Amino acid sequence: MSSKPNLSIIIPVHNEEENILELYERLYSTLSLPSLIEITYEIIFIDDGSTDGTFEEIKKIKNSKVKVVRFQRNYGKAAALSCGFKRSKGDFVITMDGDLQDDPNEIPRFIEELKRYDMVSGWKNKRQDPISKTLPSKVFNRLTRFITGVKVHDFNCGYKAYNNYVVKNINLYGELHRYIPALVYWKGYTVGEIEVEHHPRVHGESKYGIERLLKGFLDLITVTFLMMYKKRPLHVFGGIGILFGLSGVIISIYLIVLWATGLKIGDRPLLMLGILLTVTGAQFISLGLIGELITNSRNNDDYIIKYDSYELENGR
Ligand code: UDP
Ligand code: MG
């Protein structure tokens, strides 16, 4: 039976068959370094609905410290990380991409920084990806930094490290993994950042294109509201309500005064239409936000698991 590890390494993978074994080899040699020899570890692969041989490649690894959870289908990186967070037993938790772009040699630096911060985010300052990815990412990072006020350069870097209590307290879904430093900071934890080396992708393809970027931008609205108003949704909706209600009262008083002086008020359809549309619009926004807030506070998982080495280990 395995004892509690010091370090959990979580790797979400979707169609990375050519990268798995090489990544494991590199991780294994880093974890065997004299500086890390004291560290006991577990490596948790989350196979996020791969349709190639990724799962079979992971199963080839003969090391009881390597675990794999296989999803029924592709649910996205946020779901994969969320599942890994739940499984992780280590005092320190590191997440990294499974495409060999993140260098295992950074692990000792991450662990060192975790003594100072609750969470440490990687910063791919010299990111080795095409401009079609690096440019939107720069815009996205500036915008997120501006809106959330969290001074991190690279919110979406897959390479991050946490003290275990942090991962047990964040709730990820949709594209929210892009905003982890902001979510963590909002919970009241300290967030550090270290520059990490980044390699070009050699095998396989990037799974993130423009469509996912757009979804990610929409989630920025959620994050903004979560950070500002989660506990007091009424302060948002009530504020809007008061604003609209007051304008309604003012307009009514104005119309009553006109009516009292003998003027006709029944022939102003445009005014009525305007009011109707704005009120309806505001209600739709409010409903959307209430939905987001409820989604964020619920705890059931969005994913179905097809295979789980933890359950096998516990004899279930
Ligand atoms: N990934 C995943 N589920 C997805 C998309 C990606 O688990 O739906 C994994 C992917 O296999 C890789 C990591 O997330 O290990 C980062 O993905 P990718 O390299 O495609 O993103 P990029 O580095 O191009 O932003
Ligand atoms: Mg990548």
Side-chain angles (χ1 to χ4, degrees), residues 11-228:
I11 311 171
V13 282
H14 176 68
N15 293 351
E16 304 286 1
E17 62 181 358
E18 289 166 298
N19 293 316
I20 301 293
L21 292 180
E22 193 173 339
L23 174 62
Y24 170 69
E25 293 300 330
R26 286 194 202 174
L27 270 171
Y28 188 80
S29 49
T30 299
L31 294 165
S32 312
L33 287 174
S35 60
L36 290 180
I37 208 75
E38 299 284 299
I39 297 266
T40 53
Y41 64 90
E42 60 177 350
I43 299 173
I44 311 170
F45 282 99
I46 311 291
D47 175 11
D48 183 16
S50 297
T51 48
D52 66 355
T54 296
F55 180 71
E56 289 69 26
E57 290 298 300
I58 300 170
K59 293 298 287 174
K60 282 184 194 162
I61 302 170
K62 296 286 170 264
N63 179 346
S64 60
K65 292 171 181 159
V66 175
K67 321 279 180 194
V68 55
V69 176
R70 187 184 196 185
F71 280 175
Q72 184 69 27
R73 67 161 169 84
N74 177 234
Y75 298 108
K77 201 170 161 182
L81 288 176
S82 172
C83 175
F85 286 166
K86 286 215 171 115
R87 294 291 186 283
S88 63
K89 298 190 193 121
D91 305 316
F92 303 130
V93 177
I94 289 184
T95 62
M96 68 193 297
D97 288 351
D99 53 6
L100 299 175
Q101 293 196 263
D102 296 336
D103 197 319
N105 288 326
E106 306 284 5
I107 291 176
R109 287 178 60 223
F110 269 115
I111 294 180
E112 204 42 46
E113 283 300 290
L114 280 180
K115 293 175 187 153
R116 238 172 298 169
Y117 297 99
D118 295 315
M119 175 206 162
V120 181
S121 198
W123 172 17
K124 299 171 286 189
N125 192 14
K126 302 193 179 69
R127 185 170 175 184
Q128 303 295 318
D129 279 319
I131 182 122
S132 58
K133 290 187 79 80
T134 53
L135 193 69
S137 149
K138 280 213 173 92
V139 175
F140 160 85
N141 278 309
R142 277 192 179 241
L143 194 66
T144 311
R145 195 157 61 223
F146 175 73
I147 292 178
T148 64
V150 180
K151 303 280 171 264
V152 162
H153 295 85
D154 190 355
F155 284 85
N156 190 21
C157 179
Y159 211 177
K160 289 185 167 72
Y162 310 78
N163 278 288
N164 193 300
Y165 50 83
V166 176
V167 305
K168 302 295 181 197
N169 278 312
I170 43 176
N171 182 17
L172 298 181
Y173 62 89
E175 296 291 313
L176 286 188
H177 62 275
R178 293 168 184 273
Y179 303 97
I180 294 175
L183 297 171
V184 167
Y185 176 81
W186 173 70
K187 291 270 180 187
Y189 295 123
T190 52
V191 178
E193 189 177 47
I194 61 169
E195 229 179 290
V196 290
E197 213 178 314
H198 195 238
H199 303 296
R201 193 186 247 280
V202 179
H203 305 294
E205 287 168 2
S206 167
K207 281 91 200 169
Y208 285 95
I210 195 77
E211 188 229 271
R212 279 186 135 151
L213 192 77
L214 283 179
K215 283 189 190 157
F217 270 112
L218 275 183
D219 276 345
L220 186 55
I221 301 177
T222 309
V223 172
T224 309
F225 275 84
L226 281 175
M227 289 190 70
M228 295 194 305

Side-chain angles (χ1 to χ4, degrees), residues 231-250:
K231 291 279 185 276
R232 311 300 306 273
L234 192 61
H235 283 209
V236 183
F237 309 127
I240 296 171
I242 288 172
L243 210 69
F244 279 88
L246 258 180
S247 346
V249 169
I250 291 168

